Amino acid sequence: GQQVMQIPQYQHVQEGEDFTTYCNSSTTLSNIQWYKQRPGGHPVFLIQLVKSGEVKKQKRLTFQFGEAKKNSSLHITATQTTDVGTYFCAGQPGTYKYIFGTGTRLKVLA
Amino acid sequence: EAGVAQSPRYKIIEKRQSVAFWCNPISGHATLYWYQQILGQGPKLLIQFQNNGVVDDSQLPKDRFSAERLKGVDSTLKIQPAKLEDSAVYLCASSLWGGEEQYFGPGTRLTVT
């Protein structure tokens, strides 16, 4: 079946270091969304990428969609303690449903 | 703007019992999703409604799970009978239309003993 994998599963960084999580789909995607889930909370939408090779920035966060529309990445520059949480990508392979990735749990050490 | 509402927030039941969850999406949102999130995993789509029609329920265990969205607004998800492996957080989300930003509710944490 269709799968969306993320690496790494866990990442511990010192505050101020950079962080990157990678998302890989077994099938071509129509679009991809990124969500952040704080411990004990629910997923919160960060961004959606639609075009092949698209790059979007939100302050310290940079999102990329691969040329083949099968992979994506999220890069955080100079992490802060407020960045703690689990980051999920969610890919839409067709018209309707989204398949969530396995998630990357980020811990930031002050 | 009010967010997605879910109730109850927590539920503890014994295996073989039944349970129901309720979700009220953001007003005007045509698409409603029910996800199951097991601890340490990503949300798994159980069922997706477009207005009051089902567009995907391929991962819904239909022998025990059922869901409805009457009048294209709020929705209920039922489990009958529950199994131990149903212990999870059940998340409801809505979006203006399929393929757009999803807004999640706080979830219902179900524990089956």
Side-chain angles (χ1 to χ4, degrees), chain B residues 32-43:
Chain B
L32 186 147
Y33 310 80
W34 281 104
Y35 289 93
Q36 179 193 59
Q37 187 173 27
I38 292 171
L39 188 63
Q41 298 181 16

Side-chain angles (χ1 to χ4, degrees), chain A residues 9 13 15 17-19 24 28 31-32 35 39-40 44 54-55 58 60 66 68 71 74 77 80 84 90 93 95 106:
Chain A
Q9 189 175 2
V13 299
E15 189 173 21
E17 290 183 337
D18 292 356
F19 159 77
N24 294 288
T28 302
N31 65 80
I32 194 161
Y35 291 83
V44 175
E54 188 170 15
V55 178
Q58 286 180 350
R60 296 178 294 105
N71 56 71
L74 158 59
T77 304
Q80 300 175 356
V84 165
T95 306
L106 173 65

Side-chain angles (χ1 to χ4, degrees), chain B residues 1 14-15 24 32 36 45 51 53 64 66 68 72 74 81-82 84 91 97 99:
Chain B
E1 179 182 78
E14 295 182 352
K15 59 184 179 183
N24 190 21
L32 186 147
Q36 179 193 59
L45 181 70
N51 295 307
R64 298 185 301 107
S66 65
E68 59 182 7
D74 55 356
L84 295 176
L91 294 162
W97 201 250

Side-chain angles (χ1 to χ4, degrees), chain A residues 37-94:
Chain A
Q37 186 172 26
R38 294 182 185 273
H42 57 273
V44 175
F45 177 83
L46 294 175
I47 209 155
Q48 179 166 298
L49 305 170
V50 178
K51 299 176 183 177
S52 169
E54 188 170 15
V55 178
K56 286 189 176 181
K57 293 188 176 184
Q58 286 180 350
K59 297 183 179 178
R60 296 178 294 105
L61 278 61
T62 302
F63 304 84
Q64 290 189 317
F65 201 8
E67 294 290 340
K69 300 184 77 173
K70 293 182 72 173
N71 56 71
S72 181
S73 65
L74 158 59
H75 179 81
I76 302 178
T77 304
T79 54
Q80 300 175 356
T81 55
T82 52
D83 296 325
V84 165
T86 301
Y87 292 85
F88 291 101
C89 60
Q92 188 181 46

Side-chain angles (χ1 to χ4, degrees), chain B residues 11 25 42 49 56 60 62-63 68 78 80 85 99 101 106:
Chain B
K11 190 74 176 180
F49 292 95
D56 193 290
L60 186 74
K62 298 180 185 65
D63 58 334
E68 59 182 7
K78 297 179 182 177
Q80 182 179 9
E85 58 260 37
E101 172 181 355

